[in-house]
Structure formats: structure tokens, C-alpha cells
Amino acid sequence: MLLPPFSGQPLKAYNRSGEDITSTLFAPSGFMKVDADYTPRPYEQWSAEDWPRTYQNPTYPELFAAGIAFAPPHAISKPRKTPNGTLIAPAPPRTGQPSGSIGRACAESIADMVLGRDKPLHEASMARMGASCVASTGANLRTGSAAAMIMYPVVPDDKKYPETGRHPYHTRGEIGLFGHWIKFMLHYLFIYKAKALPGWSLIPE
Ligand SMILES: Cc1cc2nc3c(=O)[nH]c(=O)nc-3n(C[C@H](O)[C@H](O)[C@H](O)COP(=O)(O)OP(=O)(O)OC[C@H]3O[C@@H](n4cnc5c(N)ncnc54)[C@H](O)[C@@H]3O)c2cc1C
């Protein structure tokens, strides 16, 4: 999907003595720096390990950037140019499922810190998680359809999957009535979860 580049909120940050720490906290794109490896490298040297796991800011450990708020270390796959020279830098999918998984890990880490539990931070690397997407193409329980796509991992891992960077079976898509039923089910499950009704935490992101 081709979209204009995303950017974060243009927030300014200051420390207790009033010094401007915006560039310590945020990348030039406006997203918050976290535990990613931001060392500038050519595409050939990019690795799945560059991607953040805990989303904790390295300078201010009480700050986390979950969901769409964190600064990615680089594009997700090889940057390209259009014939007229416009840069196309593939960005990680800023969608609900990864945001939910990352949000859960950050919330659990913050809860551990607040409660004084001496535990390692929870992790949710996009290089270790899969994602699914269901795009409706007709909403009817008998004649409807939807395109269902799965991708694993979200960030390609060329060491683990040298051919395409992704698992060949767990990266595919199909279209059919089953897709509409999945979308229908997810709709009610997510609303149930958002209301925190009994058993909500068992429903995955
Ligand atoms: C039109 C549209 C359709 C989409 N469809 C899908 C879809 O079908 N499937 C899918 O997976 N994803 C979809 N997405 C993407 C998905 O909604 C986002 O990826 C997800 O909501 C990001 O979650 P988040 O918690 O990181 O950020 P957000 O959901 O944007 O939450 C950030 C929150 O912070 C609040 N906030 C901002 N600034 C401040 C401040 N200064 N103080 C206090 N609060 C503040 C905002 O009000 C907001 O509530 C869609 C997005 C759009 C715009």
C-alpha cells in the first residue's frame, strides 16, 4: 500500500533544568527513540536484530513508546525509487495487531516496575511476531467474502528465512466466505475485549 510518510507528533521535550532534550528523546521523524539499533547502515547490513524488543527509551527508562509511537531503526525492506526519483521507503505496518501486542508488553513491563518486581522487561519484537489482516469484500453471512492475509514475521529475517525473509507457509493470503466469518467474529471479540468483560485477557491482539 502506497501512503505518504508517517511522522510523530511534533512534541518538544525539556529536562528539569529546562534544556531542550527533543533530539535525545525523539528521532527527526518525531517518533520516540527506543531500544532499537539506530546506527546508520547500508541496506545489505540491516538485520532483524536492529528492531526494538522492549520499547523502552535508552536515556529515560521510565519512558516507553508503544504502538505507532516508536521510531523504527530503518525501513522494513529495500528502499526503492520511482522513475522520477521519488524515494519509496517501505515502513513497518502501523496497524492494530502489532500495536496491541507491543502495548501489552509495555503495560506489563511498567506494571512490574511500578510494583517493584525485579523481572526482565517484556518483549514484543516485530521481527519475532506475526500479523494478520482481514479486508472485507462483501458483508453477508452467506454470500459475503473477505481477503485474509497472514505474515510471519512482520519484519523480514533473512538469516532465518534466506529465500524471502519470511516463513513460506505462514505468509500467504486467501479470499472467501470464511474471511467474512473471521471478520464477523473478530468484531464481537474485540468489542468484548475493549469492555474488559470476564476473560477479556484471554482474547489475543
Ligand atoms: C482509517 C483507519 C483505518 C484503520 N484500519 C485498520 C484495520 O482495519 N486494521 C488494523 O489493524 N489497523 C487499522 N488501522 C490502524 C490502527 O488503527 C492503528 O495502527 C492503531 O490504532 C495504533 O494504535 P496506537 O495505540 O499505537 O495509537 P492510537 O490508536 O493512535 O492511540 C494514540 C492515542 O493517544 C492519544 N493522544 C495523542 N496525543 C496525546 C497527548 N498529547 N496526550 C494524551 N493523549 C494523546 C490519542 O488521542 C489516541 O487515543 C487503521 C487506521 C486508520 C486511521
Side-chain angles (χ1 to χ4, degrees), residues 74-91:
H74 42 65
I76 197 171
S77 56
K78 192 174 186 174
R80 306 197 182 258
K81 277 190 177 166
T82 63
N84 67 6
T86 306
L87 181 68
I88 303 174

Side-chain angles (χ1 to χ4, degrees), residues 2-200:
L2 285 178
L3 294 169
F6 273 13
S7 60
Q9 290 291 325
L11 297 176
K12 286 265 172 206
Y14 300 90
N15 66 11
R16 279 193 187 155
S17 27
E19 288 157 337
D20 189 327
I21 53 163
T22 308
S23 60
T24 311
L25 214 50
F26 300 111
S29 57
F31 295 117
M32 190 188 284
K33 290 181 191 167
V34 291
D35 61 320
D37 185 347
Y38 295 106
T39 316
R41 291 195 191 90
Y43 166 73
E44 292 67 30
Q45 292 172 26
W46 290 356
S47 150
E49 301 309 314
D50 300 342
W51 288 77
R53 294 176 190 165
T54 66
Y55 304 88
Q56 185 184 44
N57 180 263
T59 319
Y60 297 95
E62 69 277 23
L63 293 183
F64 290 76
I68 57 173
F70 80 89
H74 42 65
I76 197 171
S77 56
K78 192 174 186 174
R80 306 197 182 258
K81 277 190 177 166
T82 63
N84 67 6
T86 306
L87 181 68
I88 303 174
R94 300 291 206 161
T95 56
Q97 190 183 352
S99 298
S101 302
I102 296 168
R104 178 192 280 250
C106 291
E108 287 175 335
S109 295
I110 293 167
D112 285 345
M113 289 164 78
V114 170
L115 297 171
R117 296 181 192 137
D118 189 18
K119 287 167 82 176
L121 295 173
H122 294 259
E123 297 188 355
S125 167
M126 287 173 82
R128 301 277 169 270
M129 73 168 81
S132 53
C133 174
V134 188
S136 191
T137 50
N140 184 294
L141 285 177
R142 281 190 305 110
T143 58
S145 71
M149 292 151 266
I150 52 172
M151 179 167 71
Y152 181 85
V154 176
V155 170
D157 187 337
D158 294 320
K159 277 191 201 136
K160 215 165 168 188
Y161 308 106
E163 229 167 90
T164 62
R166 295 202 173 94
H167 193 288
Y169 181 77
H170 295 303
T171 304
R172 61 205 171 103
E174 281 177 37
I175 187 163
L177 177 62
F178 78 98
H180 176 66
W181 276 81
I182 292 176
K183 187 107 191 168
F184 189 73
M185 189 179 71
L186 291 176
H187 174 83
Y188 286 101
L189 283 175
F190 287 170
I191 290 175
Y192 186 92
K193 185 173 181 173
K195 289 180 178 170
L197 292 169
W200 68 270

